[in-house]
Amino acid sequence: MKRNDNLLGGKVIDLWTRIKNRGNPHVHHVVWIENAPSFETPEGLAYIDQVIPCRLRSEEEAPDLRALVKRNQIHRHTHTCHRNNSETC
């Protein structure tokens, strides 16, 4: 990641990673990008949405990414959803 200046929209100047194993193993990752706008501004929010969008891309826009997200990042109910008599997943 530090070798690719365009991966996240700019040069990575620092990063922090924590690997968690509660439930499914996953990673929490914070990345500092050189000259990125403040996230407290409209420009900063637009930057975040451009680099890390929170929407499912269209088939024409990114077919491989769309298939990957649909296969791995969309919740499907299983027997563990209501464990301990929980009413929600």
Side-chain angles (χ1 to χ4, degrees):
M1 184 180 306
K2 281 191 169 186
R3 295 182 194 146
N4 186 338
D5 288 352
N6 297 313
L7 182 64
L8 297 172
K11 182 177 181 179
V12 174
I13 55 175
D14 203 358
L15 57 94
W16 174 89
T17 302
R18 164 95 26 111
I19 299 172
K20 303 288 279 198
N21 287 312
R22 187 183 317 169
N24 288 328
H26 60 283
V27 175
H28 293 257
H29 205 70
V30 180
V31 180
W32 286 264
I33 305 294
E34 187 173 68
N35 299 320
S38 170
F39 299 154
E40 297 174 354
T41 65
E43 295 82 12
L45 294 176
Y47 180 83
I48 292 171
D49 193 44
Q50 175 187 355
V51 175
I52 309 170
C54 296
R55 64 180 173 80
L56 185 58
R57 303 281 179 106
S58 71
E59 187 70 38
E60 297 79 30
E61 195 175 14
D64 294 339
L65 179 60
R66 181 181 175 86
L68 185 67
V69 169
K70 286 183 81 169
R71 186 172 60 246
N72 296 299
Q73 295 293 318
I74 294 180
H75 177 74
R76 289 172 186 79
H77 293 290
T78 66
H79 68 282
T80 63
C81 289
H82 299 289
R83 66 179 166 212
N84 301 324
N85 296 320
S86 174
E87 291 185 21
T88 60
C89 294

